[in-house]
Amino acid sequence: AVVSKAVVSTQSTGELLSMLFTEIFCIKPLLSFRDGNSNEISHVNLCQILLDRDPNSNTTMPNTQDLLTRYFVTNNLYFHSQPDLLLLQVPRSGKDFKLYDTVLPSTELQLGGLCGGVWGGCYICDRKPTFKCSQCYLNQDFKSVYSAVPFCTACCKVVHSHPNRQDHTPEHATNPTIRGLKMVLSAVLCIHTSHYVTYCRVAAPSNSSPPPPPQLIDVEPSTSNSTDPDTNSTASDPGYCWVFFDSMADRNGGQSGYNIPVVEECPQLEDWLGNPSRLLHERDKTPEFVKRLISDALLCFYVRDESN
């Protein structure tokens, strides 16, 4: 009955995932949120970022770290515990309109501040922080990558004596040295109209794997001191690579035919994602698979970084 319901009705991505997790897989909720106002705990499987455009920013390509942080700060939310898997739905407003034309999936997410703590020293003097201010983050007075800007007692007093910040309400930094709360991007689900495709991080082929097709081999001799990311192979191979999966790339036959899937490697994808300035200013050089990812991204899958 559950499968029939999924087939006959038009499900949003969030509704479909919720049904899969709760009614088919019967797993416990992946995420626990704490409301900073009421301390009420809620349990969900998907973190759907619901935001308006940031009036203090003119960016045309926000990243998921900034969007998630602003969503939590605006709604006074915290992670009750660090998740092992985080499904993040980026802001969209239907298939005919998108809040942002492009969204950049951050290759890493820092969750330290989103769990109620502050990571690092005072923003001004680097001493141990005793206060944190989320309004300073929201107003972008300071370029902090966390959900609240950390200050020691003396710097907090000086900063908030400014007329533009006297209405801020800094909070005590109850957990000023929280660390190891990092997640890494594992996959991105994209949608264009009704066509879903996926970018996945997978284990890189071992040295014993068959060689690549001849047309993919660079026959020109390479120099060891080359620094061009477009010509270098991954000398510092991280042990994984990114691939693109499209289950409906082609079709054989008409209505009674079948889809032909395709899996393709996406070289240097993580290099492009890690260089937003290049993405903005070198659109003519950006590979099509990168353009498609940042334009059609819907769901970002993050997993706990076990190296911390």
Side-chain angles (χ1 to χ4, degrees):
V2 174
V3 176
S4 299
K5 176 184 175 183
V7 172
V8 301
S9 62
T10 302
Q11 301 282 332
S12 73
T13 304
E15 291 170 341
L16 179 59
L17 285 172
S18 178
M19 185 177 63
L20 285 173
F21 288 140
T22 59
E23 300 184 39
I24 296 179
F25 298 145
C26 299
I27 64 173
K28 294 180 179 179
L30 298 170
L31 306 173
S32 297
F33 296 152
R34 177 172 62 84
D35 188 308
N37 297 316
S38 64
N39 278 329
E40 181 180 347
I41 308 299
S42 58
H43 304 281
V44 296
N45 284 308
L46 173 70
C47 179
Q48 184 177 11
I49 299 178
L50 301 173
L51 283 173
D52 295 324
R53 275 186 172 269
D54 186 357
N56 299 308
S57 173
N58 59 1
T59 181
T60 58
M61 187 178 64
N63 61 57
T64 51
Q65 174 78 69
D66 289 341
L67 291 172
L68 177 66
T69 303
R70 189 159 64 89
Y71 173 65
F72 269 55
V73 172
T74 302
N75 294 279
N76 200 13
L77 291 176
Y78 298 95
F79 283 105
H80 184 58
S81 59
Q82 185 190 12
D84 292 317
L85 173 64
L86 172 60
L87 276 64
L88 201 62
Q89 183 170 338
V90 302
R92 294 176 72 101
S93 300
K95 64 182 181 180
D96 298 322
F97 172 77
K98 293 189 292 186
L99 187 64
Y100 294 99
D101 289 333
T102 55
V103 172
L104 180 66
S106 304
T107 56
E108 294 182 354
L109 287 182
Q110 299 287 354
L111 301 188
L114 304 184
C115 292
V118 175
W119 192 356
C122 171
Y123 187 92
I124 306 298
C125 68
D126 206 35
R127 288 195 293 247
K128 182 177 179 179
T130 51
F131 288 91
K132 59 181 180 178
C133 182
S134 58
Q135 288 102 323
C136 284
Y137 169 83
L138 284 176
N139 295 339
Q140 298 193 342
D141 292 331
F142 303 92
K143 299 298 181 182
S144 174
V145 298
Y146 307 108
S147 60
V149 183
F151 299 107
C152 69
T153 301
C155 291
C156 185
K157 183 176 181 180
V158 172
V159 166
H160 291 96
S161 65
H162 191 282
N164 291 344
R165 293 187 285 271
Q166 289 180 355
D167 60 338
H168 290 191
T169 53
E171 301 175 89
H172 285 282
T174 55
N175 192 4
T177 58
I178 192 164
R179 291 184 181 275
L181 302 181
K182 183 171 73 173
M183 308 198 76
V184 294
L185 185 66
S186 178
V188 180
L189 178 69
C190 299
I191 182 173
H192 183 72
T193 61
S194 298
H195 188 177
Y196 289 89
V197 297
T198 305
Y199 294 80
C200 295
R201 193 179 73 158
V202 299
S206 64
N207 293 332
S208 60
S209 301
Q215 65 268 24
L216 297 182
I217 297 178
D218 183 7
V219 296
E220 295 293 330
S222 60
T223 57
S224 58
N225 60 352
S226 174
T227 57
D228 187 349
D230 292 330
T231 58
N232 264 359
S233 61
T234 54
S236 55
D237 182 9
Y240 60 85
C241 63
W242 281 89
V243 297
F244 168 80
F245 171 64
D246 185 351
S247 64
M248 300 187 298
D250 201 353
R251 186 169 181 83
N252 187 15
Q255 193 170 17
S256 60
Y258 56 89
N259 294 323
I260 302 175
V262 66
V263 177
E264 299 175 338
E265 187 174 355
C266 302
Q268 286 94 38
L269 174 61
E270 197 153 330
D271 293 338
W272 282 97
L273 295 182
N275 195 339
S277 176
R278 190 180 183 196
L279 282 171
L280 289 171
H281 298 105
E282 298 185 16
R283 285 297 182 91
D284 55 327
K285 297 181 181 179
T286 305
E288 285 302 318
F289 65 82
V290 179
K291 292 180 181 178
R292 186 171 186 176
L293 187 151
I294 62 177
S295 297
D296 298 339
L298 173 64
L299 274 178
C300 296
F301 295 71
Y302 289 89
V303 296
R304 182 195 292 256
D305 180 14
E306 299 296 348
S307 65
N308 276 358

